[in-house]
Amino acid sequence: MNIPFNKPYMTGKELWYIAQAHHNGWLAGDGEFTKRCNAWLEHRTGARRALLTHSCTAALEMAAILAEIQPGDEVIMPSYTFVSTANAFVLRGAVPVFVDIRPDTLNIDETLIEAAITDKTRAIVPVHYAGVGCAMDAIMDIAARYKLLVIEDAAQGIMSSHKGRPLGGIGHLAALSFHETKNIISGEGGALLVNDPELAERAEIIREKGTNRSQFFRGQVDKYTWVDIGSSYLPSELIAAFLWAQMEEADSITRRRLDIWQTYHDAFADLEQRGKVCRPQVPADSIHNAHMYQLLLPDLEKRTAFIATLKSAGISSVFHYVPLHSAPAGRRHGRVSGEMRHTLELSDRLVRLPLWVGMEDQQNEVIRQVIAAAE
Ligand SMILES: *Cc1c(COP(=O)(O)O)cnc(C)c1O
């Protein structure tokens, strides 16, 4: 028995579309497939402008440039997240200000954000953990009162919504990921979503090495030149062609993931009742995308034993994240606002189970082993 933690799902059309891109003879960025993917994202999220990037990390870096983050500025975010959430802003000289998470969703605790605001605060970066939406009403309200930008780290959030609004379509800017560990994939890949129309034009320029190349191609300017800072954030058409095959199947992929998620959830109800584990919580106002199925074990020692027991049964389960405020670079570049009680406790207790389209046949074995390991 060998059940991996993740296995990239292919819809079957990826190579066909790559062959079409090859046939079209356009391999650089912003060809037909990139345009299709951008339009699909705009349609599905309501974003004013969607721009494919080569990663979510790249989209977050673009967002930090667009937000005009300056050295010494402060950016509020959870500590319980992937490094790119913070790195994108540290690269611009900003100080990440880490706030604790809520024990139910593991998202940033919106009630602690106001206390973290200073004269230097420029932006709030909510991370939609496991594709479950943050309390965006409260966050947008705080941002409006203090004139801050909201940049959603929606790396895990495609096809999810909060109070009827798609994740990524709520803040001023948002970043998505199509890394192979996410729901909709292209190996490496991402997108920047621009919801504030005033930022759309500059986003195109930053993505095109600081040039007005996109406007030139549309015939809006008669020469193309260096007009701003920027870098190369475009993916090749080959990546976009692969991604298009995934977007076409986004509904069925999400349905299948949700079925797997629900099967786990039903199977572990009894374990939770008996106090052996806590299952994930999804608030009634959120529709999630089954990005992740995670359990909370009673403590670090029990989690370590649990992962080892599953491993000996051939099942791979993993934990994450080392809280950023406690990591070497986080201590050097960031600061903490308030206590990190839930971040520290839950990061020691959380374990993620295999969840990938195609594992349906093997899921009962995982469930059997999890129930045995949690005893
Ligand atoms: C995966 C992930 C990222 C990074 O995505 P890449 O596409 O690999 O750059 C950033 N933030 C969060 C919360 C993620 O889960």
Side-chain angles (χ1 to χ4, degrees), residues 78 100-102 105-110 127-130 132-135:
D100 205 5
I101 50 173
R102 295 165 45 142
T105 56
L106 283 65
N107 283 333
I108 190 167
D109 185 337
E110 69 279 5
V127 178
H128 304 300
Y129 184 76
V132 175
C134 296

Side-chain angles (χ1 to χ4, degrees), residues 54-58 60 81-85 127-128 153-156 176-179 181-182 188-190 291 320-321:
H54 52 70
S55 63
C56 177
T57 301
L60 288 165
T81 180
F82 187 62
V83 295
S84 296
T85 316
V127 178
H128 304 300
D153 182 337
Q156 305 172 10
L176 300 176
S177 176
F178 306 118
H179 186 265
T181 52
K182 303 303 201 284
E188 303 281 348
H291 172 60
H320 71 176
Y321 304 101

Side-chain angles (χ1 to χ4, degrees), residues 82-139:
F82 187 62
V83 295
S84 296
T85 316
N87 248 337
F89 299 93
V90 171
L91 279 167
R92 313 238 51 88
V95 177
V97 176
F98 300 115
V99 167
D100 205 5
I101 50 173
R102 295 165 45 142
D104 57 351
T105 56
L106 283 65
N107 283 333
I108 190 167
D109 185 337
E110 69 279 5
T111 66
L112 303 177
I113 291 175
E114 236 172 312
I117 294 175
T118 70
D119 290 348
K120 293 180 179 163
T121 309
R122 295 277 301 139
I124 306 170
V125 188
V127 178
H128 304 300
Y129 184 76
V132 175
C134 296
M136 291 306 289
D137 286 353
I139 292 170

Side-chain angles (χ1 to χ4, degrees), residues 97-366:
V97 176
F98 300 115
V99 167
D100 205 5
I101 50 173
R102 295 165 45 142
D104 57 351
T105 56
L106 283 65
N107 283 333
I108 190 167
D109 185 337
E110 69 279 5
T111 66
L112 303 177
I113 291 175
E114 236 172 312
I117 294 175
T118 70
D119 290 348
K120 293 180 179 163
T121 309
R122 295 277 301 139
I124 306 170
V125 188
V127 178
H128 304 300
Y129 184 76
V132 175
C134 296
M136 291 306 289
D137 286 353
I139 292 170
M140 295 307 289
D141 174 66
I142 294 166
R145 281 190 283 117
Y146 290 89
K147 298 193 168 32
L148 308 174
L149 283 177
V150 174
I151 299 162
E152 293 173 73
D153 182 337
Q156 305 172 10
I158 192 145
M159 307 291 284
S160 291
S161 61
H162 177 71
K163 297 192 178 177
R165 298 184 66 188
L167 301 189
I170 307 170
H172 301 91
L173 295 162
L176 300 176
S177 176
F178 306 118
H179 186 265
E180 75 164 35
T181 52
K182 303 303 201 284
N183 290 20
I184 305 298
I185 61 172
S186 58
E188 303 281 348
L192 177 73
L193 302 181
V194 185
N195 299 315
D196 180 342
E198 290 184 14
L199 299 174
E201 190 169 306
R202 189 161 184 239
E204 284 185 347
I205 291 168
I206 290 166
R207 178 167 165 275
E208 266 287 13
K209 306 98 183 164
T211 72
N212 54 0
R213 192 158 185 253
S214 304
Q215 294 164 331
F216 176 71
F217 276 132
R218 286 196 298 264
Q220 291 166 336
V221 293
D222 61 7
K223 58 175 180 289
Y224 120 65
T225 183
W226 185 22
V227 294
D228 202 339
I229 61 167
S231 187
S232 181
Y233 291 118
L234 297 77
S236 151
E237 264 298 275
L238 300 178
I239 297 290
F242 188 106
L243 183 60
W244 177 247
Q246 296 267 321
M247 286 182 172
E248 277 192 330
E249 292 299 323
D251 291 297
S252 68
I253 290 170
T254 307
R255 257 195 316 275
R256 288 180 68 178
R257 293 188 73 99
L258 282 165
D259 281 347
I260 296 167
W261 194 97
Q262 195 61 48
T263 300
Y264 275 144
H265 207 59
D266 295 342
F268 303 140
D270 181 59
L271 278 182
E272 184 174 70
Q273 201 115 62
R274 292 187 294 116
K276 303 287 185 187
V277 301
C278 294
R279 297 178 301 162
Q281 295 182 47
V282 181
D285 55 12
S286 281
I287 295 177
H288 74 110
N289 58 1
H291 172 60
M292 201 187 291
Y293 198 88
Q294 75 276 18
L295 293 172
L296 295 172
L297 278 291
D299 54 41
L300 178 58
E301 200 184 328
K302 290 223 167 59
R303 181 181 73 179
T304 306
F306 177 90
I307 291 173
T309 305
L310 284 187
K311 189 174 176 214
S312 62
I315 296 166
S316 172
S317 62
V318 302
F319 64 84
H320 71 176
Y321 304 101
V322 175
L324 297 186
H325 76 277
S326 67
R331 285 210 299 269
R332 195 151 64 235
H333 297 291
R335 87 175 160 80
V336 161
S337 172
E339 290 181 38
M340 287 287 144
R341 189 161 74 89
H342 297 303
T343 300
L344 288 170
E345 188 202 315
L346 300 176
S347 61
D348 274 351
R349 294 174 51 201
L350 184 133
V351 60
R352 304 171 64 187
L353 302 183
L355 200 178
W356 38 274
V357 174
M359 69 167 286
E360 289 89 337
D361 291 351
Q362 293 152 287
Q363 193 179 6
N364 277 338
E365 180 60 15
V366 180

